Amino acid sequence: MNTDISNWENIRVVAFDFFDTLVHRNCHPEIVLYNWAKKLSVFIDYSVEPSVLYSLRKQQEGVNRKKINCEETSYEVLIQSIYDNISSLVKPNITFEQFYAKSFEIECLLEHEATYVNKDILPLIHKAINDKKRIIVISDFYCGQMLIESILLETELSCIFDKIFVSSDCGVRKSTGKLYKYVLDQLNITSKELLMIGDNKHSDVQVPKQLGISTLYVPYSNKNKIYDKVSLKKQLKKIMFSNLKESPFNGYLSTILYFISSLYEELVKKHVKNVLFCSREGQLMKELFDIYQNSTCVGIKINTHYFYVSRRSTLMPSLDKLENEKFIRIFRQFKQLNLKDFLYTIGFDHDGCDMVIQETGCSGTDIVKDLSEHSVLQTIIKNQKFGELYERIRLEQKRNFKEYIKSIDANLFEEGLVMVDVGWKGTIQDNIQAALDYSIPVYGYYLGLKIDDQINCITENKKGLLFSNVPCEVKNYRILTKDYMLYERIFVANHGPVLGYEKHIDNRITPIISDENSELELYEFIKEFQRNFVSGFQEAIQIFEKSKWNANELYHQMITLILWQDCVIFPKLWSYEKNVRAKSRENFGDISKNKIKSKNKLSSEHLKKIKFLFVDYSYRIPQKMHMKFLFPLSKVYCILVYIINYILIKQ
């Protein structure tokens, strides 16, 4: 940088602009304010959404100037006006003093993280020092001198500047020239004795020149991006749909990101300290949630735990003494099971199943329906050896399960259990609640709830964050549940199902996990797609970090993206979906159907989707019939369906 400055001998004071001159930000300046709003929103338990808080701040900056007839208000006045506007929404125990302190703390933290010294300006500073010039800072900035001083203290520029003049402290700005007049008056110097160095052509060059002040222009362009709704959606679409071959399931990123963002907000509102992600779908879910917690979208971190549970492993601990047990949680899901499936589901191993069948004279294929007098279930219940084995396994698994929970975190029994799962009825939650004898509350957060029989199903303390039909259907429920089973397959884990809990000689409790290779076929097929899904998730978060919104604030955007996925993209992924469906296995209830090959035919269940205009089947018919000439027509049809549904959801 050229340090030859005309009239240098007559200069007594050298003034530097602060941001984009002395220091640069590693992001767009607005991102600091976006993150301030997001973190402060967490502090007030999301009683005001981040985008609303940000917009209110920008609005109040202008309102305050007019109200008190000044060019720039102090930081305290700005935060006071924001607090006054939202005080009725914020919980009563948060005073203005606490709100202001937290706001300033966040502001300082973010500015410290974002700024670094502009090395190119150092020769000018050294020249001014060597020539015995006074060095000051003149800055238009919403925070006062105190914040700038704290940033400088952590750099090699500490203790160099005699004075720091900031618009928010002085009530006047450089851009009008009044701050320069204020500085000249305070330092008791003439305009010809001051040199202003900065990057802003108007505020740092043109305005001071009009006042007779010498200037040096040091141009800088911050090329970091920010996103509005249009550009954000465009970037998300690119991440989701640009590489269907390697990332066929990335089209579901918008719904998953919406879910993860909503989950974090819900946990913050409830002041949850520990959250349990249920295996197996919870493995990837936890990974995504942890990634989200490491982003700038959050303010506090919640402890996450991987929770080795399954419907099968939690059922036996939840069962009552045989004379009281009616197996309601099985029969509300399955009207009937064969005997072998029933015994395996309640927790008997293969040897136990064979023993019961041999002792009772029943067949493994006999149908178990209910507890009527002459039913198969009555037959086995009356068998002494079945009763003895049932009670031994039940009590052992109940003790072991409680010990397993304690091994995760001893505080869980005081705090209550907060669990997260993909969905759909919350059977595991019901089992856990019964296994703990209803002594502590168990809360469940789900991607979705799809409870068909609400009479026999517990809905208390359950919340579907993406979709739910309890107590009534959320809007766009049909769209959001169209391919709901695919979420289970996307979230497949790298281990088999949990069968129960084992106590070792050293008193350790560990989950018993099935090691059958067939349970891992789906994971082996999908694991690379999962990695690409995680990468896409990280990219999507980075987009939101450069916007004023959290993902769950943009519901309409999420719903239109999943609509595009289901109408236009899903038909192209039929072969992938068919593969994951074929490789998925049932390990609870109707297990025998794993041996039955499903026939890919249109059924009555498919016909129920007619309101969605059969969009996925428009591709299947031409493919099955080898009528390639109809493919272009199918594509046009899919886009037409999207347009129709898009219009409907807007209405």
Side-chain angles (χ1 to χ4, degrees):
M1 179 179 288
N2 184 11
T3 58
D4 294 329
I5 301 166
S6 61
N7 199 34
W8 180 251
E9 294 79 11
N10 298 326
I11 299 296
R12 290 176 56 198
V13 180
V14 179
F16 291 87
D17 172 48
F18 191 66
F19 289 103
D20 298 332
T21 301
L22 285 173
V23 299
H24 293 321
R25 288 188 179 99
N26 57 20
C27 62
H28 191 285
E30 287 304 295
I31 291 177
V32 175
L33 298 185
Y34 295 161
N35 290 334
W36 166 85
K38 290 173 182 178
K39 293 182 185 300
L40 194 57
S41 184
V42 172
F43 175 68
I44 57 176
D45 295 342
Y46 287 108
S47 51
V48 181
E49 295 289 353
S51 62
V52 176
L53 206 52
Y54 167 82
S55 298
L56 179 62
R57 174 171 178 160
K58 302 299 282 188
Q59 175 197 13
Q60 286 303 305
E61 286 175 357
V63 169
N64 289 343
R65 289 176 197 141
K66 290 180 182 178
K67 185 184 276 188
I68 59 178
N69 194 27
C70 70
E71 295 179 355
E72 189 85 278
T73 57
S74 70
Y75 185 73
E76 185 173 356
V77 169
L78 172 63
I79 301 306
Q80 178 75 65
S81 65
I82 294 170
Y83 179 81
D84 290 344
N85 272 273
I86 65 171
S87 58
S88 61
L89 304 172
V90 177
K91 56 188 180 183
N93 60 328
I94 294 182
T95 64
F96 167 69
E97 288 73 23
Q98 291 170 319
F99 185 79
Y100 173 80
K102 190 64 178 180
S103 175
F104 189 73
E105 176 191 323
I106 292 169
E107 204 96 49
C108 290
L109 176 68
L110 293 173
E111 290 290 6
H112 277 263
E113 289 177 348
T115 53
Y116 61 95
V117 172
N118 173 19
K119 300 293 184 182
D120 293 338
I121 207 74
L122 294 179
L124 278 171
I125 294 174
H126 293 146
K127 180 179 177 65
I129 292 171
N130 292 336
D131 291 346
K132 311 296 184 189
K133 310 290 185 183
R134 290 186 70 184
I135 306 175
I136 65 171
V137 173
I138 306 178
S139 176
D140 281 346
F141 183 45
Y142 51 81
C143 266
Q145 172 185 342
M146 198 157 55
L147 177 54
I148 289 179
E149 283 180 340
S150 70
I151 293 172
L152 290 172
L153 276 173
E154 296 183 4
T155 71
E156 62 262 49
L157 304 180
S158 177
C159 303
I160 288 175
F161 300 94
D162 294 331
K163 289 277 187 179
I164 297 174
F165 297 93
V166 185
S167 58
S168 57
D169 291 332
C170 304
V172 287
R173 295 176 60 83
K174 288 189 300 181
S175 56
T176 63
K178 291 183 180 180
L179 183 54
Y180 290 113
K181 292 176 182 177
Y182 178 85
V183 170
L184 294 173
D185 183 58
Q186 291 293 308
L187 298 180
N188 194 25
I189 59 174
T190 66
S191 58
K192 291 181 180 180
E193 295 174 305
L194 177 65
L195 170 67
M196 180 64 202
I197 301 171
D199 71 296
N200 189 298
K201 253 186 179 177
H202 175 73
S203 298
D204 298 327
V205 179
Q206 294 169 358
V207 171
K209 267 187 178 179
Q210 291 170 3
L211 298 172
I213 297 169
S214 298
T215 63
L216 180 63
Y217 178 48
V218 284
Y220 174 73
S221 175
N222 189 323
K223 296 180 180 179
N224 291 293
K225 292 181 180 179
I226 55 174
Y227 293 99
D228 58 15
K229 281 186 180 179
V230 175
S231 58
L232 189 148
K233 186 174 181 179
K234 183 179 178 181
Q235 288 299 314
L236 283 179
K237 255 188 150 179
K238 186 177 178 182
I239 295 167
M240 292 167 66
F241 307 126
S242 63
N243 192 350
L244 297 182
K245 187 175 180 181
E246 293 184 10
S247 307
F249 303 112
N250 277 21
Y252 295 93
L253 277 170
S254 66
T255 50
I256 298 304
L257 186 53
Y258 179 90
F259 163 69
I260 294 291
S261 180
S262 299
L263 173 62
Y264 179 79
E265 182 169 320
E266 285 290 328
L267 298 178
V268 167
K269 285 178 178 178
K270 299 293 184 185
H271 301 138
V272 172
K273 296 177 182 176
N274 292 280
V275 61
L276 308 171
F277 286 84
C278 299
S279 62
R280 293 183 283 170
E281 288 83 359
Q283 188 178 66
L284 178 57
M285 225 176 244
K286 179 182 180 300
E287 182 179 356
L288 298 178
F289 188 80
D290 288 341
I291 290 169
Y292 186 80
Q293 287 208 110
N294 286 326
S295 73
T296 59
C297 301
V298 307
I300 56 173
K301 285 194 178 181
I302 298 159
N303 298 322
T304 61
H305 309 274
Y306 189 52
F307 195 28
Y308 282 97
V309 286
S310 68
R311 286 178 294 175
R312 184 180 188 272
S313 73
T314 56
L315 179 61
M316 183 56 95
S318 75
L319 296 178
D320 203 345
K321 293 178 180 179
L322 201 51
E323 58 266 28
N324 300 328
E325 185 57 58
K326 301 190 186 314
F327 304 101
I328 291 172
R329 285 188 298 282
I330 294 179
F331 292 122
R332 80 180 184 199
Q333 286 186 261
F334 307 96
K335 291 181 180 179
Q336 62 180 42
L337 295 171
N338 70 45
L339 178 56
K340 199 155 192 177
D341 284 352
F342 175 81
L343 293 171
Y344 185 78
T345 294
I346 65 172
F348 282 48
D349 59 19
H350 294 297
D351 291 339
C353 291
D354 291 343
M355 183 275 290
V356 173
I357 290 169
Q358 184 178 353
E359 283 289 322
T360 59
C362 296
S363 168
T365 57
D366 286 347
I367 299 302
V368 178
K369 287 185 178 180
D370 51 37
L371 280 166
S372 59
E373 188 177 348
H374 301 293
S375 67
V376 173
L377 191 51
Q378 275 290 3
T379 302
I380 65 169
I381 283 176
K382 290 175 181 177
N383 182 271
Q384 182 181 351
K385 287 197 174 180
F386 169 80
E388 291 171 355
L389 184 57
Y390 169 91
E391 190 65 9
R392 180 175 64 78
I393 297 173
R394 184 183 76 86
L395 292 175
E396 178 186 84
Q397 286 301 303
K398 194 179 186 75
R399 284 194 302 270
N400 289 354
F401 181 60
K402 287 181 178 179
E403 288 298 317
Y404 169 64
I405 293 174
K406 286 181 182 176
S407 72
I408 296 172
D409 192 310
N411 294 322
L412 292 175
F413 280 91
E414 294 178 10
E415 298 170 7
L417 269 62
V418 179
M419 48 172 280
V420 179
D421 203 357
V422 67
W424 313 109
K425 293 177 174 61
T427 303
I428 293 176
Q429 181 182 347
D430 298 341
N431 290 346
I432 293 171
Q433 190 71 82
L436 299 177
D437 303 316
Y438 302 93
S439 58
I440 62 170
V442 181
Y443 303 93
Y445 291 100
Y446 301 92
L447 183 73
L449 288 174
K450 198 172 185 294
I451 300 174
D452 302 322
D453 184 3
Q454 296 181 26
I455 297 173
N456 294 319
C457 190
I458 300 168
T459 59
E460 187 181 4
N461 293 336
K462 293 178 183 177
K463 189 164 187 176
L465 299 177
L466 181 61
F467 61 82
S468 176
N469 64 344
V470 290
C472 58
E473 285 188 5
V474 297
K475 65 179 181 178
N476 301 312
Y477 178 78
R478 185 173 290 276
I479 293 172
L480 291 166
T481 58
K482 180 174 174 288
D483 300 315
Y484 76 98
M485 287 301 293
L486 195 55
Y487 289 112
E488 284 192 12
R489 290 147 194 172
I490 292 172
F491 282 94
V492 65
N494 64 1
H495 63 82
V498 183
L499 305 179
Y501 304 92
E502 181 180 9
K503 189 166 189 175
H504 299 273
I505 298 174
D506 59 1
N507 290 325
R508 283 183 306 111
I509 302 290
T510 58
I512 304 167
I513 298 172
S514 172
D515 58 358
E516 291 184 23
N517 291 332
S518 57
E519 294 286 358
L520 299 179
E521 282 183 19
L522 178 56
Y523 175 75
E524 290 301 320
F525 173 75
I526 212 170
K527 63 182 180 182
E528 286 306 313
F529 301 145
Q530 272 192 359
R531 291 305 96 203
N532 294 338
F533 191 90
V534 171
S535 297
F537 185 83
Q538 290 172 317
E539 286 183 63
I541 285 180
Q542 289 167 8
I543 300 300
F544 274 97
E545 286 180 325
K546 296 174 183 176
S547 81
K548 67 178 181 179
W549 300 278
N550 281 341
N552 64 317
E553 293 184 81
L554 299 181
Y555 177 86
H556 182 73
Q557 184 184 75
M558 178 275 291
I559 204 71
T560 55
L561 284 170
I562 196 61
L563 191 62
W564 181 264
Q565 157 67 25
D566 277 342
C567 292
V568 180
I569 304 300
F570 182 81
K572 301 176 184 179
L573 306 178
W574 178 34
S575 59
Y576 293 97
E577 191 272 340
K578 183 182 176 183
N579 253 315
V580 296
R581 184 158 31 88
K583 294 178 188 299
S584 64
R585 291 177 58 82
E586 183 59 72
N587 51 64
F588 182 85
D590 197 3
I591 301 163
S592 299
K593 75 177 183 181
N594 290 328
K595 299 175 184 177
I596 303 171
K597 290 187 178 179
S598 61
K599 296 180 180 179
N600 192 34
K601 290 184 178 180
L602 299 183
S603 66
S604 59
E605 286 300 311
H606 296 139
L607 292 172
K608 290 178 184 177
K609 298 181 180 179
I610 197 159
K611 287 186 180 179
F612 208 78
L613 300 177
F614 274 136
V615 65
D616 47 341
Y617 303 111
S618 64
Y619 257 60
R620 299 186 186 190
I621 294 169
Q623 284 181 9
K624 280 190 166 187
M625 299 181 72
H626 307 289
M627 299 166 69
K628 290 186 178 180
F629 65 93
L630 286 178
F631 285 9
L633 185 62
S634 294
K635 292 179 181 179
V636 172
Y637 172 70
C638 288
I639 293 173
L640 179 63
V641 172
Y642 169 78
I643 293 170
I644 293 170
N645 280 281
Y646 182 79
I647 293 169
L648 289 174
I649 64 173
K650 281 194 78 173
Q651 292 175 345

